[in-house]
Amino acid sequence: MSTSEHQAPVNHIVVEATQPYERVIQAFEAQIGREKQEKFIEVVQSSRTPEDFTHGIEHLLGPSGFMEFYSIDHGQWFSLYFQPLKSKLYDIGNPLIAQHFLKYSAEAGLHVPIRVEIYENAQGKTCIGYDQPSTLLQQSGVTQEEFVRTATELDQKAAHLVQKAATTQAG
């Protein structure tokens, strides 16, 4: 057995929203496919070809091109036992994007789907935080042009989603 360890720089991005917490949650969730893991597993198990898989996944994606795999409302449980907290974590992704990473490195699966946290900070401001996907994915050491380009595109896609959720006015 051998173990390796290294430190890698990661760009952690925090966007302060112009809307209250509940509105940011609503705007964020409206942009992602909310069918969660169960529907994803259904698509995986029922697809017979790459085209079937692609078609099935496309139906799970929200307007942002992302789908939710998992979420946990930290505020819900923490507020019950400790003190009031507004904080919700999402694992979101797009398997059709992830394939461009995983074909070069299985280790890239550690960084896709991506995690996004929406929370109220100590000053009462709603924030959306996430680690920039390309800075996480570069840890895999893959330098192929497709991998690097797709990581940059994923950065842009994540930033667009976060900006939209942070600034969407109540309807």
Side-chain angles (χ1 to χ4, degrees):
M1 178 176 96
S2 82
T3 303
S4 68
E5 181 178 325
H6 72 276
Q7 291 185 349
V10 173
N11 292 342
H12 181 69
I13 298 169
V14 177
V15 174
E16 193 173 287
T18 59
Q19 302 298 312
Y21 177 81
E22 291 77 11
R23 179 65 189 130
V24 173
I25 292 288
Q26 182 183 24
F28 185 83
E29 290 181 352
Q31 291 298 310
I32 60 175
R34 306 266 348 266
E35 298 292 335
K36 299 192 183 178
Q37 183 96 13
E38 298 79 25
K39 291 288 186 180
F40 171 68
I41 291 169
E42 263 182 48
V43 169
V44 170
Q45 292 175 342
S46 67
S47 296
R48 299 291 172 243
T49 66
E51 293 77 19
D52 288 348
F53 179 76
T54 297
H55 183 72
I57 293 300
E58 287 171 344
H59 281 90
L60 299 179
L61 301 174
S64 65
F66 288 110
M67 60 184 279
E68 177 182 336
F69 286 96
Y70 176 79
S71 65
I72 183 168
D73 189 338
H74 289 305
Q76 185 179 40
W77 65 265
F78 193 86
S79 296
L80 282 173
Y81 302 107
F82 302 104
Q83 66 189 40
L85 177 73
K86 292 182 177 181
S87 176
K88 191 166 183 180
L89 174 70
Y90 298 85
D91 277 355
I92 63 167
N94 180 332
L96 305 177
I97 295 172
Q99 69 173 325
H100 297 285
F101 306 124
L102 296 170
K103 71 181 178 183
Y104 293 106
S105 169
E107 186 181 13
L110 180 60
H111 308 298
V112 290
I114 63 175
R115 299 173 72 178
V116 178
E117 180 86 12
I118 301 175
Y119 61 95
E120 198 171 85
N121 68 14
Q123 294 74 40
K125 300 286 186 178
T126 300
C127 298
I128 306 174
Y130 67 101
D131 294 330
Q132 189 177 42
S134 65
T135 63
L136 293 169
L137 288 160
Q138 73 186 3
Q139 295 177 52
S140 66
V142 177
T143 58
Q144 274 84 359
E145 191 269 333
E146 177 190 19
F147 187 99
V148 173
R149 182 186 73 249
T150 305
T152 301
E153 291 168 358
L154 183 56
D155 289 348
Q156 294 165 353
K157 190 177 220 38
H160 180 74
L161 168 60
V162 166
Q163 287 297 326
K164 188 163 187 156
T167 60
T168 296
Q169 298 290 323

